[in-house]
Amino acid sequence: MSRTPAHRSRVVVIGAGIVGCSLADELTARGWTDVTVLEQGPLPAPGGSTSHAPGLVFQTGPSKTMTEFAAYTVQKFSSLEVDGLPCFNPVGGLEVATTAARWADLHRKAGLAASWGVRGELLTPQQCKQLWPMLDETKLHGGFHTADDGLARALLACRAQMERAAGRGARFLERHTVTGIEREDGHVTSVVTDRGTFPADHVVSAAGFWGPVIGAMAGVDVPLLPLAHQYATTEPLPELAGVNDPHGGTSGAWGSPRASEAERGGEAESLGKEASKPILRFQDRDLYFREHTDRIGIGSYAHRPMPVDPFTVPAFDEAPVMPSSLPFTEDDFAPSWQDSVGLLPALGESRVAEGFNGIFSFTPDGMPVLGESRELRGFWLAEAVWVTHSAGVARAVAEWMTDGRPAIDIHECDLYRFEDAQRSPAYIEDRGAQNFVEVYDVIHPLQPMEQPRPLRTSPFYARQQELGAYFLEGGGWERPHWYEANAPLADGLELPERDAWSARYWSPIAAAEARATREKVALYDMTPLRRLEVTGPGALDFLQRMTTNNLRKKPGAVTYTLLLDETGGIRSDLTVARLAPDRFQVGANSPADLDWLLRHAHGGTSRSSGAESGGGVQVRDITSGTCCIGVWGPLARDLVQPLTRDDFSHEGFGYFRAKQTYLGHVPVTAMRLSYVGELGWELYTTADLGLRLWDTLWEAGREHGVIAAGRSAFNSLRLEKGYRAWGADMTAEHNPYEAGVGFAVRTDKEFVGRAALEGNETPKRKLTALLLDDPAANVLGKEPVSVDGAPAGYVTSASYGYTLGRCVAYAWLPPLATGTGVHIDYFGEKLPATVADEPLFDPKMTRIRR
């Protein structure tokens, strides 16, 4: 938070591209008027990515957050104009499929659009040709049309927002190159430029692909990689003559770095004349097309990754065209030109008139990087943001700065979402380049990155390989999803046949592993789950204030609790074990949980994974130095008890209790918890003893038929029990009563977010358990759910429940009575499902508490 009253906070925004201009507008609209925007290039076209961006705004994607960012960008830019010229042209969007796989994916995308509230419809090849007469419809399976998408004129939108912000008191200074960030006592104090120093309580880096350069000045890592992306424009086409410019407007190609200064400043013809057809995406060949009056612009992601070092990009006056524009590499574009002619045969009579390689930003996971640095308070990032999401991101960051939190969930974009292992320059380059390659690929929800792997492995990795583990990746960790050693257990299992999509990254072995867990005992590698240690004389009071449940219990107690923000939104769910009067082990979800706790602890830290002390509290991440095995199943006690002298009976070791003991030669912290709905324990030890713990349990379990089981079975079992997964089933957009975890809230104590929960105990929406009616049906998550034929919500997570013989899906819906029928849209098919009571399996909890 700033050290001055909010209305007097001095804000310096670095970068006057579309993000910086949008942020200045959003901040000044909220009363923060002491805003200075510094730009190293000339205004209004300073030479960054905004100056050459083609302006495509497609709203629909697998991320609800990114779709909401794009929807706000459409809404806002549609309301802006400069000198009578609109800042947005709602020509719509058209994605075409030339393969059966893409056509299936467009059905999935239509489902995503319905889930997020975007208008869209699937079209026949003939209907596609009506929208784009130049198409060879014989190549098409069909298309997906979104009528409200369109073209943002980024530089014009910059001008419009600059003028509004300036009218409220903001100032925009061109030709100011930032040379340093000054600080005092861990807080930013000013921005140094080649033309003077600017005092600041808040500094926002909206520098685009220069973000790592600005971040280095502040001592803050900015995990993004600039990459060049090819864009070309054709010669004038007879097919477009007079179509978009009936009154003789200019024919210059906006979006090209060689467009005139008048055009790039927003003085060209109106967008209504420049383009009338939908933006066309040919994702099977990594291409998109848009009109430029009587020409067509072609963007390609089909070429090799071309990384750019942001520290070597020339200044505006030293660049041949502008800093973000590199020379066009014709050989790289040649295959894309042939693919373009194949889809639009009329291009065969034309050629590329001009082209360039424009620089854009990519991150390891393809999402923006947003938020305030903890290492340097008051220093904010709004980086790796494309025009598509610019206004939405700016609104979220402005809300964050002025109100303390964005109005929508942004955990996918949080600066602290990355693990330390994901922040190395080598990792950022590998993953950023791969994200470029996969921009238009059909990506399965479980599909892992290919490189660099393996990166993070548990101490059990060698044994897992011996058992034929099939690994997927998450957070850099190799995570077994099933084990080929268990294939014989799947023989004879009667399972419904799966469609090709739900059969990817799945094996019938998962069903066998789930069954073995329910009938015998299984070992689960829980090492990737984040573990924090909170210690010191003030630890209890700190955690009591930070979480919703009562932690004031005797040592040995384990408590399920929640982290809320000030508005009552669920930031995370935790298990907190009190191991000693002043020592707690916290099971958390992501690096952002550590960040949240450290921000609220007293004192400061210079390391994202280090300890922060002050007020008698130390918080540190112990994940990498520890490991965990979940031992679950009706025979779990038979396996574990002979290994220890301590009493592991139900009476001697109750549910949600912790005990420090020895299993064989291995010191462990045992917690009687179960995320799969069966008797068992989570067993923790240090990483150096992890392999010995695995071998000890494995040897002792042989006589009980122990198996190793993976996350595929784990996810099925946890959904049968209705256990929530934070980030999928619930986020900061939801309060505990809506999410069905109100039992973890104790209103007889004070905690962050308590006041916001008062009066909100009766939810207007609920996380609802659904059972699909057809035993052979499957869904995977994010599909739209209809009630009485109208869209009413969306699926959060789903898996086939092998014990129940039905697919289980959880969905955000209005409150519905048990037994209510709904429909889930899966690749265009309406699958009937029924609202069910929770938990679906073992409602009396007899299997866990025995």
Side-chain angles (χ1 to χ4, degrees), residues 653-668:
F653 197 155
Y655 191 53
F656 264 83
R657 298 292 298 173
K659 185 177 292 189
Q660 291 175 293
T661 184
Y662 288 87
L663 295 182
H665 297 92
V666 182
V668 301

Side-chain angles (χ1 to χ4, degrees), residues 337-355:
W337 177 254
Q338 294 304 315
D339 289 333
S340 299
V341 172
L343 184 70
L344 306 173
L347 296 183
E349 302 300 319
S350 183
R351 66 180 183 87
V352 172
E354 61 178 355

Side-chain angles (χ1 to χ4, degrees), residues 671-745:
M671 298 186 196
R672 191 168 167 199
L673 306 174
S674 176
Y675 206 54
V676 300
E678 295 293 336
L679 170 69
W681 290 264
E682 292 179 358
L683 304 174
Y684 299 88
T685 192
T686 52
D688 60 321
L689 290 167
L691 189 59
R692 183 61 177 262
L693 176 61
W694 179 280
D695 289 344
T696 298
L697 294 169
W698 188 259
E699 184 61 31
R702 284 177 179 269
E703 63 180 287
H704 304 294
V706 70
I707 67 162
R711 294 188 67 85
S712 186
F714 177 89
N715 196 47
S716 171
L717 297 169
R718 72 99 179 166
L719 282 168
E720 289 185 329
K721 283 298 293 180
Y723 294 145
R724 277 60 169 150
W726 185 85
D729 298 320
M730 55 190 186
T731 69
E733 290 186 358
H734 311 112
N735 74 41
Y737 306 114
E738 296 172 327
V741 289
F743 63 86
V745 177

Side-chain angles (χ1 to χ4, degrees), residues 6-67:
H7 68 280
R8 292 168 49 199
S9 291
R10 299 164 299 179
V11 181
V12 174
V13 179
I14 301 173
I18 191 62
V19 178
C21 291
S22 296
L23 180 58
D25 183 51
E26 295 287 339
L27 285 172
T28 55
R30 288 165 173 78
W32 282 30
T33 56
D34 190 350
V35 176
T36 300
V37 182
L38 302 176
E39 174 53 57
Q40 64 180 339
L43 295 175
S49 299
T50 300
S51 299
H52 67 68
L56 282 64
V57 179
F58 277 88
Q59 298 173 83
T60 306
S63 167
K64 179 173 179 285
T65 298
M66 296 296 276
T67 299

Side-chain angles (χ1 to χ4, degrees), residues 111-112 115 778-785 793-795 798 824-826:
L112 290 170
S115 290
N778 273 291
V779 297
L780 297 183
K782 301 187 178 180
E783 297 88 358
V785 182
Y794 59 92
V795 174
I824 302 175
D825 190 329
Y826 182 72

